[in-house]
Amino acid sequence: MKSTFLVLTLVTGLLQPASFAKPLIEEQIVARIDQGLQQSTDTLKQVVNINSGTLNFEGVKKVAEVFTAEFDGMGFDTQWIDGSEFNRAGHLVASYGTKGPKILMIGHLDTVFAKSDDFQSYQPLDDGFVAGPGIIDMKGGDMIIVSALKALKDLDLLDNVSIRVVLTGDEESSGRPLSLSKKAIVDGAKWADIALGFENGDSNIKTAVVARRSSVRWQLDVTGKPAHSSQIFTDEVGYGAVFEAARILNSFREELAGQGNLTFNPGLIAGGTRVNVQPKQAKADAFGKSNVVAKEVSVSGGVRALTTEELANAKKVMQKIVSDNLAHTSATLSFADGYPPMSPTDNNYKLLSMYSDISVSLGYGPITAVNPRKAGAADISFAAGHVDMAMDGLGLMGAGAHTKGEVADMSSFAKNMHKTAILIYRISQSELD
């Protein structure tokens, strides 16, 4: 954890009412953002029209080039981190300042839409909505970062805060190993006091994210004694792989379902005399006959938990169930690296309170916490355990993320720029109050 003095100063400063001069400065911040709104919208259109599906490395780099030019123009130090070591395009890191509270701002350059997809362009719709691949997940959030920082820089309001922006190139499909693909975020978080994420959360402008559940994959492999089905349940043959797999999965459900915010799901299962699993393609096929006791079963799934303790307990219970085998069967359960939980800490809620106060002062209404069951895993999860305060869901709102119906509610674009810029400004003043 960071300096206790700094943490207390930040928490106290965040909750103090603004001084007499602050409202005027905050009005200037809003005005500056509004003056640049058309340029921000034009740049958003530009990056949305560049296909940057995770595996389109060239496209991801082209989007990074657009944002690099933006950060260079503000006087940030920019760095492209090549992703060849983790089989992805790479990440853009932009840094500014050496004084004051340290803020990590997190976005991503990639989308779920492949280069061959027919959903490729920015398309204005009626009533202030715009369709486009990745417009809310999350090129709109990236533009909120850029535009908020640009307004503060233009007004000479970045001198009392240190900023590091990490725009990853593999959020939608993480490179492996995670220790390398997420290193830029972890390093930034170890440096920072506060982490801010610009995903769209649950796409409700009245909410923000102070907690996200983990996303960890598991693999269950079960073996039994193959024999003629007439001998099943005998002392010599036992129960076979399918019955053992069924026992294990049902025991998971009986012992863990409904506990806190924990969920777990067996997403793919195959069993029989012979099983062929293709994990990279998320496929499996099997051969078996009704008169043969099954020799093997393969099950792949995922588990999500809100805290590290909840996840650790689930793993312990699952392993115990797997080890208590039926006669003449055996089983192994393994867990892959995954997204850790972003736990709902008191400081996260204090940061949310600050953000909500800003929203109210702007006339946008209060902000409440997203139900973690409605927010999936995101890159901020790799930062949250290393900073003193974290919040996500500050991006462009809309609907249909990850689908060809992805649309942005552009009425949220400037509003979330206003809130972000004022949040950074108030944090920058916390040591000075």
Side-chain angles (χ1 to χ4, degrees):
M1 298 296 287
K2 310 302 186 293
S3 164
T4 301
F5 174 77
L6 176 58
V7 174
L8 292 174
T9 302
L10 283 170
V11 171
T12 303
L14 291 177
L15 298 178
Q16 288 178 346
S19 66
F20 177 80
K22 283 181 179 178
L24 176 59
I25 293 176
E26 293 177 5
E27 288 175 7
Q28 292 173 342
I29 292 171
V30 169
R32 179 65 68 168
I33 287 171
D34 290 346
Q35 290 168 10
L37 186 58
Q38 186 57 57
Q39 181 181 349
S40 298
T41 303
D42 291 343
T43 306
L44 175 61
K45 179 179 179 179
Q46 180 185 0
V47 293
V48 168
N49 283 334
I50 301 171
N51 178 276
S52 59
T54 307
L55 299 183
N56 179 8
F57 293 180
E58 180 182 358
V60 172
K61 291 176 182 177
K62 285 183 178 179
V63 174
E65 288 170 3
V66 174
F67 288 126
T68 297
E70 295 285 342
F71 287 117
D72 286 345
M74 288 186 273
F76 277 62
D77 294 325
T78 55
Q79 177 188 10
W80 176 253
I81 299 175
D82 180 73
S84 57
E85 288 187 316
F86 46 92
N87 196 33
R88 291 295 184 266
H91 311 316
L92 173 61
V93 178
S95 303
Y96 186 90
T98 59
K99 298 188 301 181
K102 300 172 183 176
I103 302 176
L104 173 65
M105 305 176 78
I106 302 170
H108 65 83
L109 306 163
D110 61 319
T111 76
V112 300
F113 299 97
K115 192 174 183 179
S116 59
D117 203 293
D118 60 5
F119 183 49
Q120 295 288 358
S121 61
Y122 183 99
Q123 303 167 29
L125 305 173
D126 294 334
D127 300 322
F129 287 83
V130 175
I135 191 166
I136 60 172
D137 191 11
M138 65 167 291
K139 292 175 181 179
D142 297 334
M143 277 309 306
I144 288 171
I145 295 173
V146 170
S147 300
L149 292 173
K150 183 180 292 186
L152 293 171
K153 184 65 169 59
D154 289 346
L155 294 169
D156 295 323
L157 296 176
L158 282 183
D159 292 340
N160 294 309
V161 65
S162 298
I163 302 290
R164 185 179 301 184
V165 180
V166 178
L167 303 182
T168 65
D170 70 338
E171 198 273 346
E172 300 295 2
S173 178
S174 297
R176 291 294 193 273
L178 288 177
S179 60
L180 294 178
S181 72
K182 305 305 178 185
K183 185 175 186 300
I185 293 175
V186 173
D187 287 349
K190 290 179 178 178
W191 164 86
D193 303 302
I194 298 171
L196 302 175
F198 289 82
E199 289 275 7
N200 58 307
D202 66 350
S203 269
N204 183 348
I205 197 168
K206 296 181 179 181
T207 67
V209 178
V210 294
R212 287 186 181 272
R213 296 188 301 160
S214 62
S215 179
V216 177
R217 291 178 293 177
W218 52 264
Q219 175 65 37
L220 173 66
D221 293 299
V222 183
T223 58
K225 186 175 182 179
H228 194 281
S229 64
S230 64
Q231 301 305 300
I232 196 167
F233 310 145
T234 63
D235 292 342
E236 292 76 19
V237 173
Y239 292 85
V242 169
F243 272 119
E244 172 63 348
R247 178 199 68 81
I248 291 170
L249 296 177
N250 190 54
S251 296
F252 287 174
R253 179 188 64 82
E254 289 181 334
E255 296 199 29
L256 292 172
Q259 289 194 10
N261 286 278
L262 180 72
T263 58
F264 46 92
N265 178 58
L268 178 66
I269 184 168
T273 303
R274 183 177 66 252
V275 174
N276 176 38
V277 180
Q278 302 171 59
K280 291 185 178 180
Q281 290 75 38
K283 293 172 59 177
D285 58 72
F287 170 81
K289 298 177 68 178
S290 61
N291 63 348
V292 179
V293 176
K295 179 183 178 182
E296 52 188 311
V297 173
S298 172
V299 187
S300 57
V303 58
R304 296 176 184 263
L306 189 58
T307 66
T308 54
E309 294 78 13
E310 194 174 63
L311 180 60
N313 180 67
K315 288 181 176 181
K316 181 179 179 180
V317 171
M318 293 168 77
Q319 290 287 11
K320 182 179 179 181
I321 291 169
V322 168
S323 67
D324 188 19
N325 305 121
L326 296 175
H328 295 292
T329 67
S330 62
T332 60
L333 177 67
S334 59
F335 294 89
D337 291 336
Y339 283 69
M342 174 187 178
S343 299
T345 68
D346 289 343
N347 278 354
N348 290 359
Y349 276 99
K350 289 172 182 174
L351 187 58
L352 172 65
S353 178
M354 169 66 172
Y355 189 64
S356 180
D357 288 345
I358 291 168
S359 182
V360 170
S361 74
L362 291 167
Y364 302 152
I367 308 294
T368 60
V370 173
N371 183 336
R373 291 291 295 267
K374 295 183 178 181
D379 276 342
I380 197 170
S381 296
F382 291 95
H386 300 286
V387 294
D388 297 304
M389 304 171 125
M391 183 169 58
D392 199 358
L394 311 184
L396 181 58
M397 303 293 106
H402 288 204
T403 76
K404 294 182 181 181
E406 184 171 358
V407 296
D409 178 357
M410 296 303 289
S411 69
S412 67
F413 197 36
K415 290 178 180 178
N416 282 359
M417 292 179 198
H418 299 158
K419 290 184 285 186
T420 295
I422 293 173
L423 177 64
I424 294 170
Y425 169 70
R426 290 193 186 180
I427 291 171
S428 76
Q429 299 301 295
S430 62
E431 287 190 303
L432 305 178
D433 288 339

